Structures are given as C-alpha cells and as structure tokens.
C-alpha cells in the first residue's frame, strides 16, 4: 500500500511538472515580433549600407555642417558647474521645481500673470513624449468619455501615445498635398464640426512632419473658433527656439491662446533646442482657473506619474535649470540655438536653389516656406524608394526630409537625386 501511494505521488508530481512546463511554455508562444519603428528602421538600413555616398535624412536629430552631433557650449559649461557639486538623490515625483519654473517662464512669458497667480499645474516630464503620455493618461482618467482630434499628418508617435492611454482618436485636416501648405479651410471646418468640448492636439511651431505652420492671423482665427466651440487645446512644443531661432516668436501661438482666455495644456521638450536628446527632459503644464485648481491638477499628475516612472531623472533637469537660470548661460543658449536654426534655414534655401538650377519644372518654394527640422518634400513612396535604392539616400516613405541631415558636402548630391526621381513626374 505504501509503495502504491509512493508511486502514485511520484506520477502525480511528474504529471503536474509536465503540465506546468507545457502551460508555461505557451505563455508567450503567440506573441509576434512588433513592427519596426519606421524612423528607427531607416537608421538601421542606413548603418548597414556600405556606400560611401550614403546620406541619412530620416532622423530628427541636429547635425553640424560636418554631419556631426553637437553638444552646445552652454550645456558643457552647465555640466562643468554641476559636476561634483550636486547629490544624486531622488527628485520629487513632480521633478525639479527650478527646472519647471524656468520652463514655464520660457513658454508662458518671463512676466506671465498666470505664473504670478500660480494658476499653472506643472511637473517635469520625460521629454515631450513623456509629457504627452502623462497628459493622455490625465485626459483618460478625468474625461473618460472624451476623444482627441489629431492633425493629418502628425508625428507618428502621437497616435501610439493616445491609443495606449485608452483615449479614442479622431483626425482633423491640416496639410494640403497639392499646395504643400496648410489646408486652412479644411482645418477650420473640422474644428467647427467637432462636438463642443473636444480635445485638440496642436503643434505650437515647426509642425512635424510637414514644417507647415499657420500664420499669426490664422492662429488668431483658430484660437477664436476653438474658444467658441469650447474645445480644449493641447500644445506639443518640441521646437521652441529651434524653429525660427527666437523662442519668443516660436511661442506666439501659445501666447495668442493665452490672450484669448483659453485654459491650455502644454508639452515642452529640450531634446532639440538644447540638444539634450538622451537626457529625456521636458515639462507638462496645465493652465487652470485658479491656484486651488492648479494644486489639485499637479497632485493628480504626480499620482499618475508615480506608478509610471516614480520620479524623473535629475541630470537633464540640472542642465536646463542651470542654463535658463543663469543670465550669462541663457544668453549663450539663445545665440547657439539661433545658430542651429539659421543653419537649417540656410540648408532649405540651398536645397531649393540647387533644384531650381538643375532646371526642375516642379515648384520648390514649399521648401523655404516650411520651417523647422523637417521638410515635407512631396516625394511619393515610390520616389523615396528610388532615392534609397539608386542613390543611397535614406528617409521615411512619406517623403519627410530631416534638414539637419543636409550639409554643404551633400546638399547638391541630394538635390540631384530628387531631380532625377521627380523629373518625369
């Protein structure tokens, strides 16, 4: 009897082990590889190409005229001051108070009444992506039946962010392919037809991927209609200073909405305008009706951030607060960000000039009419494929060109390739 019980126990344990192993082996069996990110996939293909003529105009990261990454001198000096003088303790959930204060002054204005009245609930965020993601979670929690209207086209990650936050998305017209400019009438019609009280995602400046921004007068009309409809404007501002070389000019859309009495949400990033791509430093702010409401909003943003990432990183925040908080370093930054913006603007002019000199029958004024890191070239996916396969020039298939990838050594080559793939169009 004892032997039988022992054998039965062994068989039961063995079958349990086999069943458990079979169950565990099936946990991840059905998972398929995720599709490659279209932008990062361009870089992978570029790196694998052995051609000496290869050019990467796919990724939105600034390069100097030698094609090299740049660390701003104001950032180097800030790092020298920080080194050995700061502890590496946890920041509060809301991040660096000093960095947030300087960010608000940059966006809302040095002497903003909203800052003085403490009407802005704001936290440090993981660059612009993190700021958008945190706001999307905030929208989902406190307006669970709302949706967000996103421009066509927009930065691809916007769709991922609001989708993963569980917020339904709709779109509004923005880019006009025939003119390669703004579809202003379509945009206004879609704002008007959206249900009252909808959320709208707006690019504050240097629209990604098109480089097409509304004029000041158009921004005023957009602001007026959004106010009439009771919509909530959420701005993604990834390029303040980098677009025109003037941070005040690049914040004009936001200032117009503030003048018109809107409550707004705002995502800021220091990836492009300070070159702090890998530091992941940004700010999320929400303008509220009063100080009490701002305190409540900030507390809820912190509550959402706690299980996401607990608290933001310290080093990038120290750099930003040091640069913006010191008059000498801030002036240096203003000069350096203008140098970056001017180089991009210069490359636009040179690319257009080269195309026109080649005798292209197509109009290319949109290259210089657009602004910021990206040029929406108008190239079709098939033409982009030819650019890659025949000329080893890499970009996303929507025809977006990162102007930072151009320099005096390759702009002529790229212009010639564009001419070759479009001359029969």
């Amino acid at each position: 009897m004892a032997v039988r019980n022992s054998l039965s126990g062994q068989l039961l344990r063995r079958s349990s082990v086999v069943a458990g192993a079979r169950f565990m082996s099936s946990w991840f069996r059905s998972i398929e590889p995720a599709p490659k990110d279209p932008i990062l996939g361009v870089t992978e293909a570029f790196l694998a190409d052995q051609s000496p003529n290869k050019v990467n105009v796919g990724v939105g990261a600034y390069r100097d005229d030698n094609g090299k990454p740049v660390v701003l001198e104001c950032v180097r000096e800030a790092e020298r001051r920080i080194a050995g003088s700061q502890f590496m303790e946890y920041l509060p959930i809301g991040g660096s108070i000093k960095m947030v204060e300087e960010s608000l002054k940059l966006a809302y204005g040095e002497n903003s009444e909203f800052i003085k009245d403490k009407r802005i609930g704001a936290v440090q965020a993981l660059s612009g992506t993190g700021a958008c993601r945190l706001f999307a979670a905030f929208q989902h929690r406190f307006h669970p039946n709302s949706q967000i209207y996103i421009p066509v086209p927009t930065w691809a990650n916007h769709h991922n962010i609001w989708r993963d936050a569980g917020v339904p998305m709709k779109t509004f017209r923005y880019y006009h392919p025939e003119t390669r400019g703004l579809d202003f009438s379509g945009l206004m019609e879609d704002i008007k037809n959206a249900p009252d009280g909808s959320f709208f995602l707006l690019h504050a400046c240097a629209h990604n991927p098109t480089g097409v921004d509304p004029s000041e007068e158009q921004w005023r009309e957009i602001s007026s209609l959004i106010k009439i409809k009771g919509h909530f404007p959420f701005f993604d501002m990834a390029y303040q200073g980098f677009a025109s070389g003037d941070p005040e000019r690049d914040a004009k859309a936001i200032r117009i909405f503030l003048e018109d009495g809107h409550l707004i949400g705002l995502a800021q990033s220091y990836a492009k305008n300070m070159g702090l791509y890998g530091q992941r430093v940004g700010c999320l702010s929400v303008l509220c009706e009063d100080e009490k409401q701002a305190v409540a909003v900030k507390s809820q943003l912190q509550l959402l951030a706690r299980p996401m990432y607990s608290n933001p990183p310290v080093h990038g925040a120290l750099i930003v607060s040091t640069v913006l908080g010191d008059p000498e370093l801030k002036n240096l930054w203003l000069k350096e960000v203008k140098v970056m913006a001017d180089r991009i603007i210069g490359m636009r002019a040179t690319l257009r000039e080269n195309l026109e000199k080649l005798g292209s029958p197509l109009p290319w004024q949109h290259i210089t009419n657009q602004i910021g890191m990206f040029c929406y070239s108008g190239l079709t996916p098939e033409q982009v494929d030819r650019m890659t396969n025949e000329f080893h020039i890499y970009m996303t298939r929507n025809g977006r060109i990162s102007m930072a990838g151009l320099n005096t050594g390759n702009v002529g080559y790229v212009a010639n390739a564009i001419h070759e793939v479009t001359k029969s169009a």
Side-chain angles (χ1 to χ4, degrees):
M1 186 71 175
V3 171
R4 187 182 303 131
N5 287 341
S6 176
L7 288 171
S8 298
Q10 289 177 20
L11 289 171
L12 180 61
R13 284 193 295 273
R14 189 176 300 151
S15 63
S16 297
V17 169
V18 171
R22 188 183 302 117
F23 182 72
M24 286 187 290
S25 70
S26 69
W27 282 350
F28 308 115
R29 189 178 294 162
S30 63
I31 296 176
E32 298 290 334
K36 285 188 176 183
D37 182 277
I39 298 174
L40 299 183
V42 168
T43 299
E44 289 179 9
F46 168 78
L47 292 173
D49 191 333
Q50 300 301 309
S51 171
N53 297 320
K54 66 180 181 178
V55 179
N56 186 359
V57 288
V59 179
Y62 182 77
R63 297 291 184 264
D64 65 16
D65 198 50
N66 296 312
K68 302 297 183 184
V70 172
V71 179
L72 301 185
E73 185 52 41
C74 64
V75 170
R76 288 292 192 212
E77 177 57 29
E79 287 191 308
R80 283 190 281 269
R81 297 183 188 184
I82 293 164
S85 66
Q86 299 287 338
F87 292 108
M88 295 298 153
E89 296 293 307
Y90 289 124
L91 284 175
I93 299 172
S96 162
I97 294 172
K98 179 66 174 173
M99 194 282 293
V100 169
E101 288 176 350
E102 294 297 337
S103 297
L104 297 184
K105 287 191 286 186
L106 190 65
Y108 292 81
E110 190 76 28
N111 300 307
S112 169
E113 61 183 285
F114 307 113
I115 297 174
K116 292 176 183 175
D117 295 340
K118 300 180 179 179
R119 287 179 52 190
I120 306 171
V123 296
Q124 182 183 333
L126 305 184
S127 201
T129 303
C132 288
R133 183 63 176 81
L134 192 57
F135 182 82
F138 179 78
Q139 179 186 346
H140 182 260
R141 177 165 293 183
F142 293 101
H143 292 273
N145 297 318
S146 69
Q147 55 201 5
I148 189 156
Y149 281 79
I150 292 177
V152 178
T154 192
W155 178 49
N157 215 21
H158 281 147
H159 295 281
N160 302 329
I161 289 166
W162 268 270
R163 179 200 66 215
D164 282 5
V167 177
M169 289 172 285
K170 289 196 172 180
T171 59
F172 65 94
R173 283 169 284 179
Y174 188 87
Y175 179 72
H176 195 272
E178 285 73 27
T179 63
R180 295 174 188 170
L182 184 68
D183 184 358
F184 185 64
S185 60
L187 179 153
M188 293 294 280
E189 186 177 345
D190 289 347
I191 291 174
K192 181 181 179 181
N193 292 337
D196 292 357
S198 296
F199 286 75
F200 271 77
L201 171 65
L202 303 169
H203 297 231
C205 62
H207 181 273
N208 179 3
T210 69
V212 173
D213 287 350
S215 67
E216 182 175 329
E217 182 54 40
Q218 287 171 331
W219 272 124
R220 293 192 184 280
E221 292 187 48
I222 293 167
S223 172
S224 177
L225 183 55
I226 283 180
K227 188 173 185 181
I228 289 169
K229 291 288 294 181
H231 298 324
F232 185 88
F234 179 77
F235 286 94
D236 187 357
M237 184 161 64
Y239 299 95
Q240 187 181 7
F242 190 94
S244 70
D246 179 359
E248 288 295 300
R249 178 180 171 185
D250 292 344
K252 188 63 181 178
I254 290 165
R255 307 290 172 79
I256 288 170
F257 275 69
L258 296 177
E259 289 168 12
D260 287 350
H262 291 271
L263 303 181
I264 70 167
L266 173 64
Q268 291 171 265
S269 167
Y270 293 99
K272 306 296 192 301
N273 60 9
M274 279 195 192
L276 299 177
Y277 303 96
Q279 297 295 341
R280 313 311 297 146
V281 57
C283 182
L284 170 63
S285 58
V286 180
L287 175 61
C288 303
E289 293 174 352
D290 53 39
E291 181 181 356
K292 181 180 179 182
Q293 191 178 87
V295 169
V297 166
K298 180 179 178 180
S299 71
Q300 293 293 345
L301 292 175
Q302 291 178 144
L303 193 66
L304 286 162
R306 176 63 170 153
M308 279 189 188
Y309 53 83
S310 191
N311 54 294
V314 65
H315 190 69
L318 285 171
I319 292 172
V320 172
S321 59
T322 301
V323 170
L324 296 182
D326 180 275
E328 181 184 350
L329 286 185
K330 185 175 182 181
N331 284 333
L332 178 57
W333 171 66
L334 290 170
K335 292 176 183 176
E336 291 186 288
V337 76
K338 189 173 188 310
V339 167
M340 291 193 291
D342 285 350
R343 195 186 89 73
I344 296 296
I345 293 168
M347 281 297 103
R348 288 182 176 277
T350 305
L351 178 61
R352 176 182 172 181
E353 181 183 340
N354 273 266
L355 282 163
E356 290 172 347
K357 281 183 177 178
L358 287 166
S360 174
L362 300 175
W364 296 105
Q365 62 268 25
H366 63 280
I367 295 175
T368 49
N369 290 341
Q370 296 170 9
I371 192 170
M373 178 78 80
F374 301 110
C375 168
Y376 221 46
S377 66
L379 295 176
T380 66
E382 293 74 24
Q383 290 168 340
V384 170
D385 290 343
R386 284 192 62 195
M387 292 281 287
T388 301
N389 297 332
E390 297 177 28
F391 299 95
H392 307 275
I393 297 171
Y394 291 83
M395 66 181 77
T396 51
R397 294 189 80 234
N398 61 5
R400 187 192 80 166
I401 294 175
S402 174
M403 299 304 298
L406 297 180
N407 54 61
T408 52
N410 65 24
V411 65
Y413 177 72
V414 172
N416 183 71
I418 293 173
H419 179 60
E420 286 297 320
V421 303
T422 59
K423 63 183 181 181
S424 59

